[in-house]
């Protein structure tokens, strides 16, 4: 009998049979006619995802009865034991998928896609029967977009990534500000941002990156298609510097301009207007069922006013038909002013701010978000840079909130959520760096939030097998490239083909490039090449480029080799000589970027420190997700010649780099 296939999260139940289902290129995804309206979107998405995994002609989608070799989607509303997200699939001569809801059917397709991804042929599924359903309703991730802008493409990819692992709750933190200690204790110069287009207070909309209303609506629609709930957060009355910069009269003189003045009637008017812009009307901007109102870390001295503010915005959100979420802060803000708890969900993040037992006693539904387990703050030196995955796998479940442990099936514990907070604005962290921290955690926590008690597979086995499951069909945000042979060479241009009559690649500046089949390579790489620059290259002349980054022969006006990504510029202490062949190798991992010249280490950029006058310190991250989409550039390419470009999917040892530089020198 077939053993249980490995998927993340693991199947709750599996009964193996004998044999294997072979997914043919002419297979059909067949939808039960009785439920075609409910299931057609899932069927079409499944078809497109199969195409991405298999790389062959689309399966057909049709309505009717399945034939041998087909995949059949149907609903069974009578089987209430599966709940809203559970599903059954049986694998015989057809694959039969059924669930109570379209979401359950969609989750079944994610499991099947993961099984196919791990098969070298992308077509074999072991025969058997699975019954699967989540233990926890909320399986979430919080992303701080306020202090670091993430592109809409990144958010849309994250919807698909989360969906692939049946993570169903994407909490988008839309506003925040940096620490004034990094800005000479001056609130006016302290970084702040609100990421949504706002018509009522146009200056509120962040100039360095924001989402239009249409973009955000489209994101939520995509999420609904993928079984993910987008929870937008407007955070107040602390973390409120974007609002007080837009309307200075509502900032607190007593507690700082990141605090709203809760004695000022204008404060309520402004915040009411901001919320209403996204909640009201026949076609509101927030189209989901829940809205997060923030309410965290306000001055303890004003507990009663804070409680009144919190209650007001719970009720405002509810008046437009939404459920309210908020951060746990009511132990920090004790008082007699009532705060509504019925049908309200609280993120419990720190027990000193909201005691879990007391919040549950008061009637709140809760989401386990304990900072000591689940907070990533990149390169900050506190909380976690990377989560402790082994510890999480063995010791954490959503019923563990800080140092308090509740029954695993406590009805008020709705699930869990982990978070990325970008506290240190301007520290060089990129989307790629954040993703490098999140992705392995997503795999582990998807398992822990689906069925937290299932650790029958050891963490070591889980970690090894999880390497064979990626980010979802069509996604490669980690930039993983597979190599051929023992040396892990993933890309090689020697320019010996007839289209390169000189035996090298010659670029002429401006719009001059060779496009490669890959966009870039992620951490753990070596890029080796020979370069002979022409005289008089322009400042910022580009060697390699993609939408993610550019590697430059001349960084700005320095004349030195460097790279730029997401608005950050970095420079190596090296200038390449004109009119002369030089071997360059650049290696990169998640901590450092190193430059070798003619086989010798020339410079290494690693995590440095910025010091501020008030003894504040900030780590500076100098990583490079190496751009490979273009050798050269569409706008400001280098003038010169390349030869023997090699890309490896690991960091070569110095002796190997030396060999690369020596053995080919006689070619020139």
């Amino acid at each position: 009998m077939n053993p249980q296939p490995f998927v993340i999260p693991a199947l709750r139940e599996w009964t193996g049979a004998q044999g294997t289902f072979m997914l043919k290129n002419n297979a059909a995804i067949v939808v039960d006619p009785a439920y075609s309206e409910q299931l057609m979107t899932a069927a079409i998405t499944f078809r497109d995802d199969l195409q991405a995994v298999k790389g062959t002609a689309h399966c057909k989608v049709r309505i009717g009865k399945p034939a041998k070799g087909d995949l059949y989607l149907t609903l069974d509303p009578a089987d209430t034991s599966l709940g809203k997200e559970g599903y059954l699939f049986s694998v015989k001569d057809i694959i039969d998928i059924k669930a109570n809801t379209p979401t359950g059917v969609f989750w079944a397709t994610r499991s099947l896609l993961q099984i196919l991804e791990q098969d070298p042929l992308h077509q074999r599924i072991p025969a058997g029967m699975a019954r699967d359903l989540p233990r926890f309703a909320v399986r979430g991730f919080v992303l701080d977009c306020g202090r670091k802008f993430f592109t809409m493409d990144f958010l849309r990819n994250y919807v698909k990534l989360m969906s692939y692992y049946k993570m169903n709750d994407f909490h988008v933190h839309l506003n925040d500000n940096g620490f004034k200690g990094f800005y000479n204790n001056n609130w006016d110069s302290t970084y702040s941002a609100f990421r949504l287009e706002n018509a009522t207070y146009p200056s509120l909309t962040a100039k360095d990156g924001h989402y239009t209303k249409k973009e955000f609506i489209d994101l939520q629609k995509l999420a609904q298609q993928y079984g993910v709930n987008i929870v937008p957060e407007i955070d107040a009355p602390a973390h409120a510097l974007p609002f007080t910069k837009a309307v200075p009269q509502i900032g607190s003189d007593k507690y700082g301009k990141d605090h709203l003045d809760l004695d000022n009637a204008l404060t309520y008017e402004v915040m009411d207007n901001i919320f209403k812009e996204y909640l009201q009307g026949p076609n509101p901007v927030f189209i989901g069922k829940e809205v997060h109102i923030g309410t965290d870390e306000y001055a303890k001295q004003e507990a009663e006013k804070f409680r009144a503010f919190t209650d007001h915005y719970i009720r405002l959100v509810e008046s437009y038909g939404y459920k309210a979420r908020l951060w746990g802060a009511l132990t920090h803000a004790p008082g007699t002013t009532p705060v509504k708890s019925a049908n309200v969900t609280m993120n419990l993040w720190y027990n000193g701010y909201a005691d879990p037992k007391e919040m549950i006693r008061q009637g709140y539904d809760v989401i386990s978000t304990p900072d000591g387990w689940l907070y990533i703050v990149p390169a900050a030196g506190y909380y976690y840079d990377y989560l402790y995955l082994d510890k999480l796998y063995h010791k954490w479940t959503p019923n563990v909130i800080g140092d308090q442990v509740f029954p695993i099936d406590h009805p008020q514990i709705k699930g869990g959520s982990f978070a990325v907070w970008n506290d240190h604005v301007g520290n060089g962290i990129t989307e790629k760096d954040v993703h490098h921290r999140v992705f392995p955690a997503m795999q582990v926590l998807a398992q822990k939030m689906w069925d937290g008690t299932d650790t029958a597979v050891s963490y070591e086995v889980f970690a090894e097998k999880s390497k064979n499951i990626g980010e979802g069909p069509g996604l490669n945000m980690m930039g993983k490239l597979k190599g051929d042979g023992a040396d892990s060479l993933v890309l090689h241009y020697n320019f010996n083909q007839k289209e390169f009559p000189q035996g090298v690649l010659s670029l002429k500046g401006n719009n001059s490039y060779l496009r490669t089949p890959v966009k870039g390579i992620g951490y753990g790489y070596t890029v080796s090449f020979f370069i002979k620059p022409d005289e008089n290259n322009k400042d910022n002349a580009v060697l390699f480029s993609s939408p993610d980054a550019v590697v430059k022969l001349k960084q700005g006006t320095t004349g030195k080799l460097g790279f730029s990504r997401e608005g950050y510029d970095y420079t190596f202490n090296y200038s390449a000589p004109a009119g002369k062949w030089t071997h360059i190798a650049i290696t990169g991992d998640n901590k450092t970027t190193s430059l070798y010249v003619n086989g010798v280490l020339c410079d290494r950029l690693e995590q440095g420190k910025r010091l501020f006058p008030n003894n504040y310190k900030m780590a500076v991250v100098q990583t490079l997700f190496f751009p490979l989409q273009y050798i050269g550039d569409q706008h400001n390419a280098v003038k010169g010649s390349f030869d023997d470009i090699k890309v490896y999917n690991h960091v070569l040892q110095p002796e190997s780099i030396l060999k690369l530089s020596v053995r080919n020198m006689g070619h020139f």
Side-chain angles (χ1 to χ4, degrees):
M1 298 298 176
N2 290 321
Q4 179 169 319
F6 180 81
V7 296
I8 305 174
L11 301 171
R12 295 284 295 276
E13 298 176 20
W14 169 259
T15 303
Q18 291 183 332
T20 300
F21 178 92
M22 299 292 289
L23 182 63
K24 303 291 182 63
N25 290 340
N26 62 352
I29 299 170
V30 183
V31 179
D32 185 341
Y35 303 107
S36 60
E37 185 174 347
Q38 297 99 310
L39 295 177
M40 189 53 67
T41 297
I44 292 171
T45 304
F46 187 30
R47 176 201 65 192
D48 294 344
D49 289 343
L50 282 173
Q51 158 70 9
V53 170
K54 287 177 63 60
T56 56
H58 282 191
C59 295
K60 297 177 181 178
V61 174
R62 63 179 176 84
I63 298 170
K65 293 183 178 181
K68 184 177 180 180
D70 289 341
L71 304 97
Y72 184 58
L73 312 184
T74 187
L75 297 178
D76 182 9
D79 187 357
T80 57
S81 67
L82 291 173
K84 295 179 180 180
E85 297 183 274
Y87 60 89
L88 300 168
F89 70 73
S90 65
V91 182
K92 298 177 183 176
D93 56 354
I94 67 168
I95 296 179
D96 189 357
I97 300 171
K98 64 177 61 175
N100 285 351
T101 67
T103 300
V105 168
F106 191 77
W107 290 152
T109 68
R110 305 303 92 180
S111 294
L112 292 170
L113 287 165
Q114 287 191 12
I115 294 169
L116 287 168
E117 182 185 2
Q118 295 171 82
D119 174 42
L121 299 176
H122 304 311
Q123 63 180 17
R124 296 177 294 198
I125 298 174
M129 179 175 292
R131 181 178 183 274
D132 198 17
L133 71 161
R135 185 182 292 273
F136 298 100
V138 175
R139 307 175 300 280
F141 171 61
V142 183
L143 184 62
D144 171 13
C145 298
R147 285 173 288 204
K148 172 175 172 48
F149 179 65
F150 292 86
T151 64
M152 183 52 68
D153 282 346
F154 184 91
L155 299 189
R156 291 176 69 88
N157 286 340
Y158 255 54
V159 164
K160 296 176 182 179
L161 166 68
M162 291 179 66
S163 175
Y164 198 53
Y165 289 94
K166 306 184 182 75
M167 297 283 279
N168 66 350
D169 200 88
F170 190 6
H171 174 164
V172 182
H173 183 78
L174 288 166
N175 67 275
D176 219 312
N177 51 264
F179 301 145
K180 70 172 182 175
F182 292 125
Y183 301 88
N184 294 317
N185 289 316
N186 185 334
W187 285 117
D188 290 338
S189 58
T190 298
Y191 183 86
S192 66
F194 180 80
R195 297 300 181 191
L196 268 185
E197 171 190 4
N198 191 274
T200 310
Y201 306 99
S203 65
L204 178 60
T205 307
K207 304 299 188 294
D208 66 335
H210 68 272
Y211 316 119
T212 67
K213 293 176 182 178
K214 182 181 184 305
E215 285 176 329
F216 203 75
I217 290 169
D218 289 345
L219 173 69
Q220 294 166 90
K221 289 179 178 178
L222 177 75
Q224 289 177 345
Q225 177 184 337
Y226 278 83
V228 176
N229 179 33
I230 297 284
V231 180
E233 179 190 353
I234 298 175
D235 195 5
H239 302 270
L241 189 59
F243 309 122
T244 68
K245 282 187 175 180
V247 186
Q249 304 95 302
I250 67 174
S252 172
D253 293 327
K254 186 174 182 180
Y255 301 112
K257 296 302 181 181
D258 63 338
H259 279 49
L260 298 177
D261 180 357
L262 300 186
D263 288 318
N264 188 344
L266 181 61
T267 296
Y268 279 89
E269 178 184 332
V270 170
M271 295 309 301
D272 283 5
N273 289 341
I274 291 169
F275 273 97
K276 288 176 182 178
E277 181 163 335
Y278 307 112
L279 304 179
Q280 67 186 358
N283 298 298
V285 177
F286 296 163
I287 67 174
K289 296 178 180 179
E290 296 184 82
V291 173
H292 204 293
I293 63 168
T295 66
D296 187 31
E297 297 185 305
Y298 195 80
K300 186 180 180 69
Q301 301 93 312
E302 304 294 346
E304 298 292 357
K305 294 171 185 176
F306 171 80
R307 293 172 70 90
F309 181 94
T310 301
D311 187 71
H312 175 86
Y313 285 98
I314 290 172
R315 296 179 187 277
L316 178 74
V317 163
E318 290 180 342
S319 73
Y320 288 94
Y322 299 86
K323 285 187 63 177
R325 283 197 196 174
L326 69 163
W327 291 106
L330 297 183
T331 299
H332 177 72
T336 59
T337 303
V339 181
K340 186 177 185 294
S341 62
N343 208 35
V344 176
T345 302
M346 180 180 286
N347 286 91
L348 294 176
W349 69 279
Y350 173 52
N351 294 6
Y353 264 74
D355 178 72
K357 291 179 181 176
E358 177 60 19
M359 296 304 105
I360 287 173
R361 188 196 67 79
Q362 290 184 21
Y364 290 99
D365 289 335
V366 302
I367 298 171
S368 178
T369 321
D371 60 346
W373 291 90
L374 300 179
Y375 270 22
I376 297 169
V377 185
Y382 54 87
Y383 287 127
Y384 299 105
D385 195 21
Y386 288 78
L387 295 181
Y388 290 173
L389 301 184
D390 191 340
K391 182 179 178 182
L392 283 170
Y393 187 81
H394 288 295
K395 295 186 177 181
W396 183 81
T397 47
N399 60 305
V400 177
I401 307 176
D403 59 357
Q404 296 184 23
V405 181
F406 296 85
I408 190 73
D409 291 316
H410 195 294
Q412 286 171 258
I413 299 176
K414 298 304 178 183
S417 197
F418 74 110
V420 168
W421 300 106
N422 299 293
D423 292 9
H424 287 191
V425 179
N427 68 351
I429 285 287
T430 67
E431 290 182 346
K432 301 298 187 182
D433 293 313
V434 170
H435 181 60
H436 197 267
R437 288 154 171 78
V438 170
F439 178 56
M442 187 77 72
Q443 291 183 310
V444 168
L445 290 168
Q447 175 61 38
K448 301 302 292 184
M449 294 180 192
W450 185 263
D451 178 16
T453 61
D454 182 4
T455 53
V457 174
S458 71
Y459 175 71
E460 291 72 22
V461 172
F462 178 92
E464 187 61 31
K465 289 190 173 183
S466 69
K467 295 176 183 177
N468 297 319
I469 302 179
E471 302 159 24
L475 296 180
N476 187 13
M477 292 178 281
M478 291 288 282
K480 295 296 183 184
L481 302 180
K482 292 183 178 180
D484 296 323
D487 62 0
S488 300
L489 182 67
V490 297
L491 200 65
H492 185 200
Y493 289 97
N494 59 20
F495 306 111
N496 291 333
Q497 300 80 14
K498 61 181 180 181
E499 57 264 38
F500 303 103
Q502 296 177 326
V504 297
L505 172 66
S506 295
L507 299 182
K508 305 300 182 183
N510 300 324
N511 179 23
S512 180
Y513 60 86
L514 173 68
R515 182 163 187 159
T516 83
V518 297
K519 188 175 178 182
I521 187 167
Y523 302 136
Y525 65 79
T526 302
V527 178
S528 163
F529 59 97
F530 289 86
I531 180 74
K532 185 172 76 171
D534 292 350
E535 299 282 353
N536 301 319
N537 265 286
K538 296 179 182 178
D539 290 344
N540 294 307
V542 174
L543 299 170
F544 297 88
S545 59
S546 78
D548 298 313
V550 290
V551 176
K552 302 175 187 176
L553 178 74
K554 293 184 174 183
Q555 178 64 280
T557 59
T558 67
K560 296 182 178 182
L561 195 144
F563 59 91
S564 301
R565 76 291 190 282
E566 292 193 21
Y568 298 98
D569 298 323
Y570 301 92
T571 304
F572 292 111
N573 188 26
Y574 174 74
S575 299
K580 177 182 177 181
W581 283 105
T582 302
H583 180 259
I584 300 290
I586 297 174
T587 69
D589 59 24
N590 65 321
K591 300 291 184 183
T592 63
T593 309
S594 299
L595 172 68
Y596 291 78
V597 177
N598 293 328
V600 178
L601 178 64
C602 177
D603 199 3
R604 173 172 287 134
L605 303 181
E606 50 196 336
Q607 185 167 292
K609 292 281 186 184
R610 286 177 59 194
L611 302 179
F612 296 84
N614 51 7
N615 293 322
Y616 270 57
K617 298 178 181 179
M618 180 185 289
V620 178
V621 175
Q622 302 184 92
T623 52
L624 174 63
F625 184 104
F626 200 96
L628 290 170
Q629 188 165 354
Y630 302 106
I631 303 166
D633 187 50
Q634 293 180 302
H635 304 289
N636 192 30
V638 67
K639 294 179 181 178
S641 300
F642 288 84
D643 197 14
D644 203 27
I645 300 172
K646 293 180 177 179
V647 180
Y648 297 86
N649 64 9
H650 67 278
V651 175
L652 293 179
Q653 294 298 311
E655 55 268 26
S656 297
I657 294 174
L658 182 61
K659 289 179 181 178
L660 286 174
S661 71
V662 171
R663 68 187 181 197
N664 292 314
M665 287 300 289
H667 177 69
F668 304 110

